[in-house]
Amino acid sequence: MAVAHPQILAFDVFGTVVDWHGSIAREMAARYPQVDGDAFALAWRKGYQPAMDLVRQGQLGWTRMDALHRRILDGILPQFGLGDMPEAERADLNRVWHRLAPWPDAVAGLQRLKSRFVITPLSNGNIALLTHMAKNAGLPWDCVLSAEVFQAYKPDPRAYLGVADVFGVEAASVMLVAAHHSDLAAARQCGLQTAYVERPLEYGANQPKDVTPQPDNTYHCRDLLDLADQLGC
Amino acid sequence: MAVAHPQILAFDVFGTVVDWHGSIAREMAARYPQVDGDAFALAWRKGYQPAMDLVRQGQLGWTRMDALHRRILDGILPQFGLGDMPEAERADLNRVWHRLAPWPDAVAGLQRLKSRFVITPLSNGNIALLTHMAKNAGLPWDCVLSAEVFQAYKPDPRAYLGVADVFGVEAASVMLVAAHHSDLAAARQCGLQTAYVERPLEYGANQPKDVTPQPDNTYHCRDLLDLADQLGC
């Protein structure tokens, strides 16, 4: 049975649309040549799920990703010999997440997909982070949805179902596009269509990621240009 | 004392960025030539504040603008001899608000303002309405904020202060751009900067609007190109 096309494409962002590892490693190398930028990027990202767990489990009230990124940053700086970094510099470094570079296919792929679908982030990043990132990187979103809008971090069903609710459509009319099978599995449980994007170098060239297709996804694509091809854009 | 430039420009949309009266009157004239399109547009808009008042006063729970527009539409159709309009046609007509045309200066003005500021709607229209409108009209928003995000219809302070909160800035770093002095006055009470935009034909050529400057606004502009001039974009 042919699956009807979705109307709304909702994108995971960190790792799927933008290269957090490469962007952070490059900025660290430029600013602090004495630090291992690869290790720093991985350490920062390693705190990501545990920080959101504090919110998911109610130990922290609703807290934006900018503030969670900052908590993690403050925790890892001493491990990299940067424990005496002044406040203004910490605040500026924390905004590296607002400056992440897109994967090379992302802007052109989104432009093509936008010609036929509503395209929106559905990221755990906060609205300001996603807005500044889009402005900086030229991501042509039609709107900016975020865990912040629904006050619920993925994989909370409220995030996925919130997109369908906002647009007044059934869950199956929304497709989550992501480079992470766990995110896609949670979306599928809510009735969304799913597209997996291969990002083998998400964790850097030293840690290539298994990008084997999983049959439950509606689409499996090499990158966003490939997704546009498969969707006839 | 020179006022520092804002960082975020938040725009009222209906009447300020898009021409609701002309768009609705034109669509009515094309679809239902027997109906007075000018009167129909005015009648539909006349129900706008009373419908939001039901939500503001708690008689209705949070209800999106699409649903409020539909309530008003259902109420006025019989007065215009269209009481037997079928459901699908009502639903499609209700989406005329998603198809409103921009004022002639709006797209070019927003493009210029976007080069220097974050530009976002701050409209009582819902996210889907504003997103479809932007896609259709080519409005280059950086993100889409709405009363829906804050679950509070302007002039509720939560809407104005919500923009500053999302971006982590002081209220004075946000400027509301609107064609309505009451909206601007409420924003100013919250500490926002304000820019008044002249839209003398908002209610159609038969009801020209008084666009006399009021001294309390930070800026007074003829249109969005004039605002871009004044802000040095």
Side-chain angles (χ1 to χ4, degrees):
Chain A
M1 192 185 73
V3 178
H5 271 178
Q7 299 174 44
I8 316 290
L9 303 185
F11 291 77
D12 175 63
V13 172
F14 300 131
T16 299
V17 176
V18 297
D19 174 14
W20 59 266
H21 178 277
S23 303
I24 292 172
R26 280 192 300 275
E27 183 155 332
M28 290 304 294
R31 293 168 73 133
Y32 312 101
Q34 76 279 18
V35 170
D36 179 344
D38 171 71
F40 192 90
L42 292 173
W44 206 345
R45 183 69 172 178
K46 196 176 172 194
Y48 181 67
Q49 291 297 343
M52 284 187 292
D53 281 343
L54 296 175
V55 177
R56 292 180 182 123
Q57 295 160 7
Q59 291 156 267
L60 263 185
W62 176 255
T63 307
R64 290 192 181 99
M65 188 51 62
D66 274 342
L68 296 181
H69 277 150
R70 176 60 192 271
R71 281 172 71 106
I72 308 163
L73 177 65
D74 287 342
I76 65 172
L77 283 175
Q79 304 163 30
F80 289 87
L82 297 170
D84 59 353
M85 187 182 289
E87 168 57 30
E89 198 174 327
R90 287 174 193 237
D92 183 60
L93 180 56
N94 198 49
R95 280 192 296 272
V96 67
W97 295 90
H98 296 215
R99 298 184 289 265
L100 299 180
W103 294 107
D105 54 282
V107 173
L110 290 175
Q111 285 289 7
R112 284 174 58 192
L113 292 162
K114 181 184 170 101
S115 70
R116 187 153 172 183
F117 304 100
V118 170
I119 59 168
T120 177
L122 177 63
S123 169
N124 285 335
N126 50 300
I127 298 171
L129 182 161
L130 295 168
T131 300
H132 291 145
M133 175 198 285
K135 211 166 168 70
N136 184 59
L139 306 175
W141 303 123
D142 287 313
C143 63
V144 174
L145 297 180
S146 150
E148 182 179 357
V149 174
F150 309 113
Q151 305 266 303
Y153 280 121
K154 296 186 292 179
D156 190 310
R158 286 175 291 175
Y160 307 106
L161 295 173
V163 179
D165 184 47
V166 156
F167 283 99
V169 299
E170 307 212 338
S173 294
V174 180
M175 182 156 76
L176 183 72
V177 182
H180 311 111
H181 286 300
S182 57
D183 195 5
L184 294 166
R188 196 163 41 242
Q189 281 236 310
C190 293
L192 278 71
Q193 297 191 50
T194 58
Y196 178 77
V197 187
E198 296 182 4
R199 295 300 187 194
L201 301 185
E202 177 178 359
Y203 294 91
N206 298 331
Q207 291 196 41
K209 200 170 77 170
D210 178 7
V211 295
T212 308
Q214 294 197 5
D216 287 342
N217 291 313
T218 325
Y219 295 89
H220 178 100
C221 54
R222 213 170 45 253
D223 60 23
L224 299 188
L225 295 168
D226 183 26
L227 181 62
D229 285 342
Q230 293 187 44
L231 291 172
C233 298
Chain B
M1 192 186 72
V3 178
H5 272 177
Q7 299 175 43
I8 316 288
L9 303 185
F11 292 77
D12 175 64
V13 173
F14 300 131
T16 299
V17 177
V18 297
D19 174 14
W20 58 266
H21 179 276
S23 302
I24 292 172
R26 280 191 300 275
E27 182 154 333
M28 289 304 294
R31 292 169 71 133
Y32 312 101
Q34 76 279 20
V35 169
D36 179 343
D38 171 72
F40 192 90
L42 293 172
W44 205 346
R45 183 70 171 177
K46 196 176 171 192
Y48 181 68
Q49 292 297 343
M52 283 187 292
D53 281 342
L54 296 175
V55 176
R56 292 180 183 124
Q57 295 160 5
Q59 292 157 266
L60 262 185
W62 176 257
T63 307
R64 292 194 179 98
M65 188 51 62
D66 274 342
L68 296 181
H69 277 150
R70 176 60 192 270
R71 282 171 71 107
I72 308 163
L73 177 65
D74 288 342
I76 65 172
L77 283 175
Q79 305 163 29
F80 289 87
L82 297 169
D84 58 354
M85 186 182 288
E87 168 56 31
E89 197 174 329
R90 286 174 193 238
D92 182 60
L93 180 57
N94 198 49
R95 281 192 295 272
V96 67
W97 295 91
H98 297 215
R99 298 185 288 264
L100 299 179
W103 293 108
D105 55 282
V107 173
L110 290 175
Q111 285 288 7
R112 284 175 58 192
L113 293 162
K114 180 184 171 102
S115 71
R116 189 154 172 182
F117 304 99
V118 170
I119 59 168
T120 177
L122 178 62
S123 168
N124 284 335
N126 50 300
I127 298 172
L129 183 160
L130 295 167
T131 300
H132 291 145
M133 175 198 285
K135 211 166 168 69
N136 184 58
L139 306 175
W141 303 124
D142 287 314
C143 63
V144 173
L145 296 180
S146 150
E148 182 180 358
V149 174
F150 308 113
Q151 305 266 305
Y153 281 121
K154 294 187 294 181
D156 189 311
R158 287 175 290 174
Y160 307 107
L161 294 174
V163 179
D165 184 48
V166 157
F167 284 99
V169 297
E170 306 213 337
S173 294
V174 180
M175 181 157 75
L176 183 73
V177 183
H180 312 111
H181 286 299
S182 57
D183 195 5
L184 295 165
R188 195 162 42 242
Q189 280 237 311
C190 292
L192 279 69
Q193 297 191 51
T194 58
Y196 178 77
V197 187
E198 296 183 2
R199 296 301 188 192
L201 301 186
E202 177 179 358
Y203 294 92
N206 297 330
Q207 290 198 41
K209 200 170 77 171
D210 178 7
V211 294
T212 307
Q214 295 197 3
D216 288 341
N217 291 312
T218 324
Y219 295 89
H220 178 101
C221 56
R222 215 170 43 253
D223 58 25
L224 299 188
L225 295 168
D226 182 26
L227 180 62
D229 285 342
Q230 294 188 44
L231 290 172
C233 300

